[in-house]
Amino acid sequence: MNIDFSKSGGLVPAVIQDTLSLQVLMVGYMNEEALEKTRKEGKVTFFSRSKNRLWTKGETSGNWLVVDEILTDCDNDTILIKAYPQGPACHTGSVSCFGDKQSKGFLYELENVIEKRITENPEGSYTSKLFSRGVNKVAQKVGEEAVELVIEAKDDNVDLFKNEAADLLYHFLILLKTKKLKLEDIEAILVERHN
């Protein structure tokens, strides 16, 4: 990583992105010293233009940005830091300086749609009907979909495999709902195992 700090008077933009959700949390500026401190301590440190000093995000609030990965753009004059936020990134208390809505990806949107179908119980809803049959039926359906995925994995039809994988994920989300769990509960365990 060879950042060109000379292009903009010693400071380069640093975009901070949530490692898990990929949501942009904030943008600050770094000089060489801030980047070195970030690398060394594992917490995002900026150069504050208003305070004219280094400033580690979370030094007063405790809302650290724990570094996962540091990348640069193609021109080596912008830094992207993927981080694990330890609280809201914005000084206003919002998740992001660009608004509160967390964008965690389509699976989370699908989870919300499933929850809405179960809650609202629209006529003809497969999701609502399956959920109403209880955990045993939902678990059975997940098992069936898992077996179908394994069978397709042994063949060479990638399209069928992808469709069975999608069916399994969809039914797994319904099963989580029957257990009063959310996808983020499972994600947290995977993150813990990864660390």
Side-chain angles (χ1 to χ4, degrees):
M1 184 181 304
N2 203 6
I3 306 294
D4 188 353
F5 287 97
S6 65
K7 278 186 183 177
S8 54
L11 295 176
V12 297
V15 178
I16 313 303
Q17 183 180 41
D18 186 311
T19 293
L20 299 177
S21 70
L22 301 181
Q23 182 175 18
V24 173
L25 300 174
M26 63 184 300
V27 176
Y29 290 89
M30 289 185 166
N31 60 11
E32 288 184 68
E33 190 180 359
L35 179 58
E36 185 55 36
K37 185 173 182 187
T38 297
R39 284 183 179 144
K40 184 178 177 184
E41 296 181 3
K43 294 177 180 170
V44 176
T45 297
F46 298 103
F47 180 82
S48 171
R49 295 169 299 162
S50 60
K51 298 173 187 170
N52 198 32
R53 67 169 178 87
L54 295 185
W55 166 69
T56 301
K57 172 68 178 128
E59 66 186 28
T60 55
S61 67
N63 296 331
W64 310 103
L65 293 168
V66 178
V67 176
D68 178 41
E69 187 176 14
I70 301 174
L71 306 165
T72 61
D73 72 339
C74 57
D75 294 324
N76 291 319
D77 61 4
T78 302
I79 299 169
L80 172 65
I81 298 180
K82 293 185 177 185
Y84 298 104
Q86 307 299 300
C90 186
H91 71 281
T92 66
S94 292
V95 170
S96 163
C97 292
F98 299 96
D100 239 353
K101 184 173 189 261
Q102 283 185 285
S103 173
K104 294 185 93 176
F106 178 73
L107 283 180
Y108 286 90
E109 289 179 34
L110 180 58
E111 182 178 49
N112 290 335
V113 169
I114 288 170
E115 187 164 338
K116 186 175 180 185
R117 296 261 166 86
I118 290 167
T119 303
E120 295 178 0
N121 193 16
E123 187 175 334
S125 168
Y126 168 81
T127 303
S128 180
K129 182 179 176 185
L130 179 61
F131 180 82
S132 70
R133 295 180 74 193
V135 68
N136 289 342
K137 288 296 182 186
V138 176
Q140 179 183 344
K141 190 63 180 168
V142 169
E144 290 171 11
E145 296 300 341
V147 169
E148 291 173 11
L149 179 64
V150 169
I151 291 168
E152 291 304 332
K154 296 172 147 276
D155 292 335
D156 292 328
N157 190 324
V158 175
D159 287 335
L160 286 176
F161 176 80
K162 290 190 299 186
N163 276 285
E164 292 302 338
D167 287 348
L168 178 59
L169 279 172
Y170 175 77
H171 288 91
F172 173 68
L173 290 173
I174 298 172
L175 182 60
L176 285 178
K177 181 70 177 157
T178 67
K179 300 299 289 180
K180 296 182 174 61
L181 293 170
K182 293 198 164 276
L183 189 55
E184 65 187 20
D185 297 319
I186 309 309
E187 184 180 63
I189 291 171
L190 293 171
V191 168
E192 187 178 308
R193 288 180 183 175
H194 174 71
N195 290 332

